[in-house]
């Protein structure tokens, strides 16, 4: 049986990361380009948004790194992970860029308007390079960068406006609302076009939209985006004309739109941590990682197989029905088969019924069999060449 599950820890980390980066960059973009007049009187609220976004994004980055080395079975590797791996280098660069952007604050430095945009784009690039698009070449991760940049300009500024409009004078809010409406119109077109390209590449086939976890999560996100667009249309064609007439009260629908945006960002994190089916469905290429969630008898098997150059990492827990790890685990026979030739290995528990094992196998596509007393699990995994 081939059952792919989902690592929800990674989903939570990615959701917090997306919300944090969008809040942080949204506060900066709003203060510099959309709501300069509002920012002068509501700098303290924007500072809260910037600071909370920084804490959330940095915390997600650090904990994501810790979770990665924990899955490898040795948390002492954290520093080596940041310094000696390409993925870790990107996360370290992300942390440095966030510190630099926090140091620029909200446009208080004279040179800030020239320095902030490239730093913000570099931060978003670290996000694009550590998602599915980053594994598929420059054209796709640059498309993802455009997608993220347009999203920050609109959605990030919307978060900032929803937080700063109460207590701000009418003329300043009206100016910010008009600018945001114009930015949103352009951003919507860019986000839609880039998002369509990314979806087509990642899905591979139209049927994958309905039959794969990635496709179903994308549908959830598209539903939330549709709700945001509908509310944005109301704000542009109903609220904005009314607000131009002094005496119109409040921007409650803008705040509601911002809440929906938070939902979209959380779903974006879920989507970023879900393996897309595109390479499998469209090209017949096996994945380099497989999530495992399987019930058999009185046991629940949970973990992951993922491959790097010449190696397959086996990270696995055997739990009871309540979700507790069993106090003791036995040997697990693992069999790799390629072109009719088999490689036999055995996984030993390192603690209780937890397995953190690395198998050395030559590059290629393997049928992997895990033999348990009450079930046999079978997966296909690709071990990349150098």
């Amino acid at each position: 049986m081939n059952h792919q599950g989902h690592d929800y820890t990674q989903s939570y980390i990615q959701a917090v990361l997306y919300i944090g980066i969008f809040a942080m960059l949204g506060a900066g973009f709003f203060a510099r380009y959309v709501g300069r007049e509002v920012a002068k009187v509501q700098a303290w609220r924007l500072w809260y948004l910037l600071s909370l976004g920084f804490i959330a994004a940095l915390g997600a980055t650090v904990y994501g790194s810790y979770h990665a080395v924990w899955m490898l079975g040795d948390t002492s590797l954290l520093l080596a992970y940041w310094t000696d791996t390409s993925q870790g280098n990107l996360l370290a660069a992300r942390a440095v860029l966030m510190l630099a952007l926090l140091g620029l604050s909200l446009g208080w430095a004279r040179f800030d308007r020239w320095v902030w945009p490239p730093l913000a784009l570099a931060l978003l690039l670290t996000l694009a390079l550590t998602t599915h698009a980053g594994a598929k070449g420059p054209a796709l991760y640059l498309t993802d960068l455009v997608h993220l940049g347009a999203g920050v300009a609109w959605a990030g500024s919307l978060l900032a406006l929803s937080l700063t409009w109460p207590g701000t004078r009418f003329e300043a809010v009206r100016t910010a609302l008009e600018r945001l409406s114009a930015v949103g119109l352009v951003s919507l077109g860019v986000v839609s076009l880039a998002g369509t390209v990314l979806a087509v590449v990642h899905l591979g086939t139209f049927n994958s939209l309905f039959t794969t976890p990635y496709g179903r999560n994308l549908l959830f996100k598209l539903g939330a985006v549709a709700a945001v667009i509908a509310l944005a249309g109301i704000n542009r064609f109903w609220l904005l004309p009314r607000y131009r007439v002094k005496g119109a009260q409040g921007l409650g629908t803008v705040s509601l739109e911002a809440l929906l945006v938070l939902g979209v960002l959380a779903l974006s994190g879920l989507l970023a941590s879900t393996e897309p089916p595109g390479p499998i469905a469209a090209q017949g290429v096996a994945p380099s990682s497989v999530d495992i969630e399987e019930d058999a008898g009185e046991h629940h098997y949970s973990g992951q197989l993922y491959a790097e150059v010449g190696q397959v990492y086996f990270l696995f827990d055997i739990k009871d029905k309540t979700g507790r790890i069993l106090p003791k685990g036995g040997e697990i026979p693992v069999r790799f088969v390629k072109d009719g030739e088999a490689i036999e290995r055995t996984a030993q528990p390192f603690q209780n019924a937890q397995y953190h094992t690395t198998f050395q196998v030559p590059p290629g596509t393997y049928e992997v069999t895990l033999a348990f007393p009450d079930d046999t699990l079978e997966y296909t995994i690709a071990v990349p060449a150098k």
Side-chain angles (χ1 to χ4, degrees):
M1 296 175 289
N2 190 346
H3 300 272
Q4 291 194 30
H6 190 76
D7 184 353
Y8 285 99
T9 301
Q10 288 293 341
S11 297
Y12 302 143
I13 292 171
Q14 290 293 323
V16 172
L17 177 64
Y18 271 70
I19 291 173
I21 286 180
F22 270 64
M24 185 179 179
L25 295 184
F29 189 88
F30 180 83
R32 290 165 177 84
Y33 308 111
V34 175
R36 293 187 295 272
E37 298 81 1
V38 176
K40 290 177 182 178
V41 295
Q42 297 287 3
W44 64 277
R45 291 191 180 184
L46 286 176
W47 174 252
Y48 282 150
L49 183 63
L50 177 73
S51 302
L52 290 174
F54 170 79
I55 292 170
L58 183 62
T61 298
V62 173
Y63 185 73
S65 303
Y66 175 83
H67 182 72
V69 296
W70 177 83
M71 291 289 284
L72 292 174
D74 188 355
T75 55
S76 66
L77 295 174
L78 182 59
L79 181 59
Y81 173 74
W82 277 46
T83 58
D84 298 338
T85 69
S86 58
Q87 187 89 351
N89 292 162
L90 284 170
L91 298 184
R94 179 185 298 163
V96 171
L97 286 166
M98 286 190 293
L99 285 168
L101 287 164
L102 183 68
L104 288 175
S105 299
L106 296 171
W108 296 332
R110 292 184 179 180
F111 58 85
D112 173 83
R113 287 174 64 83
W114 300 100
V115 176
W116 188 89
L119 288 180
L121 286 174
L123 178 59
L124 291 176
L125 184 60
T126 68
L127 200 60
L129 288 172
T130 52
T131 59
H132 310 305
K136 296 181 179 179
L140 205 62
Y141 69 66
L142 289 177
T143 301
D144 197 24
L145 178 62
V146 171
H147 183 256
L148 291 168
V152 162
W154 174 32
S157 295
L158 180 66
L159 293 176
L161 179 61
S162 70
L163 192 66
T164 55
W165 70 261
T168 304
R169 60 189 180 87
F170 173 85
E171 291 78 7
V173 175
R174 182 183 62 189
T175 300
L177 188 61
E178 289 176 343
R179 289 175 184 159
L180 179 59
S181 181
V183 167
L185 191 62
V186 175
S187 296
L188 177 59
V190 174
V191 166
S192 299
L193 181 59
T196 300
V197 172
L198 292 168
V200 169
V201 173
H202 289 320
L203 285 171
T205 65
F206 181 75
N207 189 51
S208 296
L209 185 62
F210 307 98
T211 59
T212 65
Y214 185 90
R216 289 190 288 270
N217 289 339
L218 179 59
L219 284 175
F220 284 129
K221 179 183 175 180
L222 291 175
V225 170
V228 171
I229 291 174
L231 200 51
I234 293 174
N235 289 336
R236 177 174 177 81
F237 297 109
W238 181 79
L239 175 65
L240 183 57
R242 287 170 55 86
Y243 203 75
R244 288 190 176 115
V245 180
K246 195 167 183 176
Q249 299 295 314
L251 294 177
T253 53
V254 170
S255 299
L256 178 58
E257 188 181 347
L259 287 176
L260 290 175
V261 163
L262 290 177
V264 171
L265 294 176
L267 289 169
S268 297
L270 174 63
L271 198 64
S273 59
T274 305
E275 187 71 24
I280 304 171
Q283 303 170 19
V285 178
S288 60
S289 67
V290 175
D291 294 329
I292 302 170
E293 295 288 345
E294 173 72 14
D295 289 311
E298 296 299 316
H299 298 146
H300 178 77
Y301 301 120
S302 175
Q304 186 180 50
L305 284 168
Y306 74 93
E308 292 186 352
V309 178
Q311 298 182 103
V312 175
Y313 296 92
F314 179 57
L315 314 171
F316 204 75
D317 298 333
I318 303 178
K319 305 175 182 178
D320 61 22
K321 288 297 186 180
T322 66
R324 295 180 179 178
I325 296 174
L326 298 183
K328 184 178 181 181
E331 293 185 349
I332 300 176
V334 182
R335 192 168 191 243
F336 298 86
V337 178
K338 182 182 74 167
D339 300 329
E341 297 184 4
I343 301 173
E344 306 283 351
R345 295 287 187 268
T346 300
Q348 302 280 353
F350 84 98
Q351 178 180 320
N352 301 331
Q354 295 178 289
Y355 302 79
H356 293 177
T357 304
T358 303
F359 301 113
Q360 303 292 329
V361 294
T365 300
Y366 291 87
E367 299 296 328
V368 183
T369 301
L370 311 176
F372 297 97
D374 49 4
D375 201 358
T376 298
L377 307 183
E378 297 176 352
Y379 301 93
T380 301
I381 193 167
V383 180
K386 185 176 181 180

